Amino acid sequence: MFMALVLLVFGVILFDMRGRLKAAERRLAALEGTSVGVGVSLALDRHPREGGGPSPERSPWGEMREMDSRLRGDDEKGDERGLRPAAIVERRADSVTAPPPPPIEETPAEPEKPIAAPVRPSFGFEELFGRRLPIWAGGVTLAVAGVLLVKYSIDAGLLSPLVRIVLGLLFGGALIGCAEAALRLEERVRDARVRQALSGAGLATLYVSILAAHTLYGLVGPGVAFAGLAGVTGLAMALSLRFGAPSALLGLVGGLAAPALVQAGQPNVPLLSCYLALAVGGLTVLSRAQRWMWLGVSALIGGAAWGAVMLAVGALDWASSLSVGLLVLMLGVVLPLFAFSGARAVLLRVGAAVVAAAQMAALVATGGFALLHWGLFGLLSVALLWLGRDAALRPLAAVGAAVALLLAAVWPDPEMGRFALVMLGMVAIYGGAALWRVWRGGTLVEAGQIAGLALGGFSLGLGHFWREGLDGAFALLALAAASLPGVAMLTGWSCEGRREDARFVTLASAAALLLVVAGGLGLAAWMLPVVIAAVAAGLLMLAERAGDRRVEWSGWGFAFGAVVALAGSDEVVRLWGGAATDAAWQGLICWAAGASMAALFAWRARFIEGRMVAQGAAVLLAYGAVAQAVPAIWVPVGAALGLALLAEGARKLAVGRMAPGLGVALTVVALWACWPVGLWLGQALLSLVGEPMLARDLPGIGEAVRRLAVPAVVLGFALWRAGSVVGVIGRRAGWVVAAVLGGVAVHVGYKQVFGLESWDDVTRLALAERTLWEGLLIGAGFVAWRMERLALPRPFPPLLGRAVGGLLAGAGLAHLLVYTVVLHDPLWFPQEVGSWPVFNLLSVAFALSFAALWIAGTWAPRLADGLRMALIALFGIALLRQLFVGSLLTVPGVSQAEDILRSVLALGLAIGFLLWGIHRKAGDWRIASLLLMLAAVAKVFLFDASGLTGLLRIASFLALGFSLIGIGWLYNRVLREPLNNSATNAA
């Protein structure tokens, strides 16, 4: 402790010396600059040509008068400090007696001389440690010597307690007397620091002696010690006025350190508190009088530190607790009023009050939360409210309220009556003041204070005392707590500045939250979403009546909470067909309430984007209400019917007004279709790699009807009735969804007709099922294509029938090409085509393909011709194969006759392609005929003839020869006429 005291003293001395050194530097520099400036001005004011008299720009006499006034001001400042430098007097005398300069005509010109820069005193190592610090160190050493002398006499037993105390008092008084002598002998001492150091050491010695007389030896009672300490404190104040700030500083350090130096055993807390209050109070008053803010701040910090030490001791009796509480109150509220003034006073007072609140809270906590300690905290609370008369200090009340709530939160196992008394007191103190001020120049701080007290007080009571069976009581308590912000709202209803800030919405939100809690506790658990929705709707209507849009934003928050509560309820599983444990009527009430709330926001809210979101939420919540009442299997149908009803209602509104709701309803319908459509799509993707689509792997007919067919029909009806009010994009999206759902439903239903369940079924019926499906698509396309326009609403273009017909025919053709021709062609995929030649499924598929090409081929004629040629070739090969093997074309092995007939078929097709190309003047057909002919020739020479003998070989060559001759003759006939005509024309 001794070393800490020495280091603290030295630190303070060095800090003070630094400021004094800087001040001395500035003063000496100013004096040197003045003396040099006179010479410079006199040298530079001479005329550059003539050399005499004042310059035309500036008169030397005026400059000298200015310098004389400046020197006179420096002289007066020196008199105020008790100093009058001789240099100033000499300069003034020189300036007064200097003769006037000669006229300009008579003064000879002189060359300008360089001006030497002023030399400033250097504060180096020797200056600091040789001249400055030893004096202060001597004063500290004297104080320490006095303490050590007393300690040595105690240890050696040389002096009796009374003699020790008397000698200490005499020594302290002697030091102060020496300081007075140094002041009176100022002309010889010539250093103010000597008296300041002596007075400070004397004050510290007096503090130590008096405290030792009472605490250590018991020579004097508390009253005498109190009087002695008060006298020394007054003496310190007086000496600081006489000897300056260092005396006050050393008195501060010695006075605050004295209890630690002489204390032994358990301290006398009441006496120490009184001593600290007097010492710190005197120093703060002195700091205000002398404008030494550092002194008041240091004194308050030291007092707060001693308060923390006393609180750390713990187990204080009622007297000690009372004294410490009053000391904290003095240090945090009273003394800062006397210590500070000016612009920074508010900040320092706020800091002191916050520290006091923290220390008072520690006193309450360490004291076992007794009523005495709570009473002291209440006294501090009243003081903080009293400080709140200044607008800048009003946040202190909020700090006090927060600390009180924090204390109540950490109160271990409070007794209900005592807890209620404390909370009522805090609400009365802080809540009453906030109610009074919130609309009388108050800010958001007061509104937040009211809301915090209401919410925090109820939450603390609920956390400490709730148990099963007390829900009704706490519901009433929540209503009572809501009355506090409710009363504040009523008192400010007619206030002009109510709409300019967030006070009203803060109070309204707090009251609304407490109402929700009250409803949640007082009503059944499943009613919580209803309560939240009702509160949200109430806030929306309140915002409209109050003309405060901020309240509407709060209502949006509660509306979101209602949606979250519904989403977290058990009834949410019914939205996708699940089974809930609660009764359906409960869920119906909850979801209907949520839908009503959302509809109200969509209708009356001022936030435009929010209204759109609320409209979609209302539709979704209404669907949730329907899902609670409708059996699970019929929920998709109910969603589709709801979409139709919504579309019917949208016809009476402006275009796009119900677009968000219709979009959400359409999304719900599409979500119900996701499972069957996804299952169907998965099987369709597998079919693209050759895996047959079986009926057992597709959705059931009931699911397809409920989730796909009925929604598609209802959606189409809704678009027919209200398509014009959703816009072009919405209408097209709706038709796409309806087409997808309807198409998948029809295909699933069609697959159920044949009911392919195994590979045997695929072999027997797959080609028939596929051919019929392709025939239906191509037939529907033909019907649509032949109609000039379909009986559809006006927004559809007149040529839509042809477009739809082409799409359907193209879809049928694509299905035929992908599955019947490429993936599941009977030539390499086992499928029965029929027992009769020509009159079988192959002929039907061939006819369907040509019909589809007739409809869709107009868009790409050359591609259509290529497909026709490929289909004719495959059809011919399949028919030839069926003549030899029967219904199943994948029977292994090819006979010699069949192989030769394939070559004959190729030659016949080549001749047919050539004739058709000649007839249609189509070069693609002729080229195809040549390719077939070359392929047939290559086959005959390379394969067929090599395996034949006798007449068969001769016949094959004859057939090939005649075929080639016939083809050549035909080409010559086709090409000769154009050549002759060309020649004729050329001639």
Side-chain angles (χ1 to χ4, degrees), residues 529-915:
V530 179
V531 175
I532 301 177
V535 171
L539 286 173
L540 179 64
M541 301 307 296
L542 178 63
E544 184 177 349
R545 293 291 302 276
D548 193 342
R549 193 173 184 179
R550 297 180 182 88
V551 181
E552 180 181 322
W553 287 109
S554 179
W556 281 107
F558 280 91
F560 179 75
V563 174
V564 171
L566 288 172
S569 63
D570 182 64
E571 296 86 1
V572 72
V573 297
R574 290 197 176 101
L575 272 66
W576 50 84
T581 58
D582 296 337
W585 64 271
Q586 296 179 0
L588 178 61
I589 293 175
C590 292
W591 288 86
S596 301
M597 172 208 67
L600 181 63
F601 272 85
W603 176 38
R604 303 298 294 270
R606 298 174 59 187
F607 180 38
I608 299 177
E609 292 79 3
R611 287 206 303 265
M612 299 174 64
V613 175
Q615 183 185 128
V619 172
L620 183 61
L621 295 174
Y623 159 73
V626 172
Q628 308 302 316
V630 176
I633 62 174
W634 295 109
V635 171
V637 177
L641 293 176
L643 173 61
L645 292 175
L646 189 64
E648 190 67 24
R651 296 180 58 196
K652 302 178 181 179
L653 300 175
V655 177
R657 180 66 177 86
M658 291 298 295
L662 291 172
V664 171
L666 179 62
T667 303
V668 172
V669 172
L671 288 175
W672 271 109
C674 282
W675 179 78
V677 170
L679 188 60
W680 175 88
L681 183 61
Q683 295 300 316
L685 293 176
L686 289 177
S687 69
L688 292 177
V689 295
E691 185 73 19
M693 183 182 289
L694 303 178
R696 67 186 183 186
D697 298 328
L698 295 177
I701 189 66
E703 291 291 324
V705 170
R706 291 191 299 270
R707 296 192 180 198
L708 301 175
V710 173
V713 173
V714 173
L715 179 57
F717 176 78
L719 290 172
W720 174 62
R721 292 286 294 173
S724 60
V725 300
V726 296
V728 177
I729 297 177
R731 185 168 60 253
R732 290 178 178 176
W735 280 115
V736 168
V737 174
V740 171
L741 299 184
V744 174
V746 171
H747 188 262
V748 170
Y750 176 78
K751 295 291 289 186
Q752 302 300 324
V753 173
F754 284 83
L756 302 182
E757 299 290 340
S758 63
W759 280 94
D760 294 337
D761 295 338
V762 172
T763 302
R764 290 185 303 104
L765 301 173
L767 182 60
E769 179 195 64
R770 192 165 56 249
T771 303
L772 180 57
W773 175 253
E774 293 160 359
L776 292 174
L777 288 176
I778 295 171
F782 178 78
V783 172
W785 183 74
R786 293 294 294 175
M787 296 174 63
E788 293 184 358
R789 58 178 296 183
L790 297 178
L792 295 174
R794 288 184 179 180
F796 295 95
L799 298 179
L800 182 62
R802 289 184 174 269
V804 172
L807 290 176
L808 290 175
L813 178 62
H815 192 277
L816 186 147
L817 294 176
V818 171
Y819 292 100
T820 304
V821 175
V822 177
L823 295 177
H824 298 164
D825 193 292
L827 291 172
W828 51 78
F829 191 87
Q831 297 172 90
E832 295 181 358
V833 298
S835 302
W836 294 357
V838 179
F839 298 99
N840 53 33
L841 294 176
L842 292 176
S843 301
V844 176
F846 177 77
L848 289 174
S849 64
F850 264 69
L853 288 173
W854 179 53
I855 298 173
T858 56
W859 296 339
R862 298 191 65 182
L863 178 61
D865 286 342
L867 291 174
R868 289 187 182 98
M869 288 182 280
L871 290 172
I872 291 172
L874 288 173
F875 176 69
I877 296 173
L879 284 180
L880 181 62
R881 180 67 174 166
Q882 198 264 346
L883 288 174
F884 283 91
V885 298
S887 182
L888 193 61
L889 307 184
T890 56
V891 175
V894 178
S895 64
Q896 192 176 30
E898 182 183 356
D899 193 26
I900 294 174
L901 288 177
R902 287 182 178 179
S903 301
V904 174
L905 176 63
L907 291 173
L909 291 176
I911 296 172
F913 287 174
L914 178 60
L915 293 174

Side-chain angles (χ1 to χ4, degrees), residues 282-640:
L283 292 171
T284 52
V285 172
L286 180 62
S287 70
R288 183 183 182 94
Q290 296 297 103
R291 296 184 178 180
W292 294 336
M293 183 175 289
W294 57 268
L295 180 61
V297 173
S298 302
L300 290 174
I301 292 175
W306 271 111
V309 170
M310 289 185 288
L311 289 172
V313 173
L316 301 177
D317 56 10
W318 71 270
S320 300
S321 300
L322 183 61
S323 59
V324 172
L326 294 176
L327 175 64
V328 170
L329 185 62
M330 290 286 292
L331 295 176
V333 179
V334 179
L335 295 182
L337 297 176
F338 298 97
F340 311 127
S341 62
R344 289 177 290 181
V346 174
L347 179 61
L348 296 174
R349 290 172 185 172
V350 170
V354 171
V355 173
Q359 289 191 340
M360 193 67 77
L363 177 63
V364 174
T366 57
F369 296 89
L371 290 180
L372 173 64
H373 305 95
W374 279 113
L376 292 172
F377 191 91
L379 188 60
L380 176 64
S381 302
V382 174
L384 294 178
L385 294 177
W386 180 76
L387 288 176
R389 296 179 305 168
D390 186 357
L393 297 178
R394 286 187 179 179
L396 289 176
V399 173
V403 173
L405 292 175
L406 181 61
L407 276 175
V410 300
W411 192 348
D413 298 328
E415 192 269 327
M416 184 178 293
R418 182 176 297 181
F419 182 86
L421 180 62
V422 170
M423 292 307 301
L424 287 175
M426 293 304 167
V427 170
I429 294 174
Y430 290 109
L435 280 174
W436 175 259
R437 292 174 177 173
V438 64
W439 304 115
R440 293 174 176 84
T443 61
L444 184 60
V445 174
E446 284 75 15
Q449 185 175 330
I450 295 172
L453 286 171
L455 293 172
F458 171 77
S459 301
L460 292 175
L462 185 67
H464 280 303
F465 304 107
W466 180 86
R467 62 180 181 272
E468 190 174 357
L470 292 179
D471 292 345
F474 278 99
L476 295 177
L477 181 61
L479 292 176
S483 65
L484 182 61
V487 170
M489 291 167 57
L490 291 176
T491 56
W493 185 264
S494 302
C495 181
E496 295 182 357
R498 175 174 57 80
R499 300 178 182 87
E500 299 175 359
D501 52 40
R503 290 174 293 178
F504 191 81
V505 66
T506 301
L507 298 171
S509 301
L513 185 57
L514 288 169
L515 289 177
V516 169
V517 174
L521 291 173
L523 300 176
W526 62 270
M527 286 288 292
L528 181 60
V530 179
V531 175
I532 301 177
V535 171
L539 286 173
L540 179 64
M541 301 307 296
L542 178 63
E544 184 177 349
R545 293 291 302 276
D548 193 342
R549 193 173 184 179
R550 297 180 182 88
V551 181
E552 180 181 322
W553 287 109
S554 179
W556 281 107
F558 280 91
F560 179 75
V563 174
V564 171
L566 288 172
S569 63
D570 182 64
E571 296 86 1
V572 72
V573 297
R574 290 197 176 101
L575 272 66
W576 50 84
T581 58
D582 296 337
W585 64 271
Q586 296 179 0
L588 178 61
I589 293 175
C590 292
W591 288 86
S596 301
M597 172 208 67
L600 181 63
F601 272 85
W603 176 38
R604 303 298 294 270
R606 298 174 59 187
F607 180 38
I608 299 177
E609 292 79 3
R611 287 206 303 265
M612 299 174 64
V613 175
Q615 183 185 128
V619 172
L620 183 61
L621 295 174
Y623 159 73
V626 172
Q628 308 302 316
V630 176
I633 62 174
W634 295 109
V635 171
V637 177

Side-chain angles (χ1 to χ4, degrees), residues 125-212:
F125 179 82
E126 294 180 349
E127 176 70 18
L128 181 61
F129 290 93
R131 291 186 63 246
R132 305 290 180 179
L133 294 183
I135 296 177
W136 299 111
V140 175
T141 304
L142 289 175
V144 174
V147 175
L148 293 178
L149 181 61
V150 174
K151 186 176 184 302
Y152 173 77
S153 63
I154 294 172
D155 296 337
L158 299 177
L159 302 174
S160 63
L162 179 60
V163 175
R164 298 168 191 167
I165 298 302
V166 172
L167 289 178
L169 294 174
L170 292 176
F171 182 69
L175 291 176
I176 295 174
C178 292
E180 180 65 24
L183 176 62
R184 295 180 181 275
L185 299 176
E186 175 62 22
E187 296 180 358
R188 294 184 179 183
V189 176
R190 295 178 178 270
D191 197 332
R193 294 169 297 170
V194 174
R195 60 178 179 267
Q196 294 169 353
L198 292 172
S199 64
L203 288 170
T205 305
L206 292 177
Y207 278 127
V208 172
S209 301
I210 295 174
L211 285 175

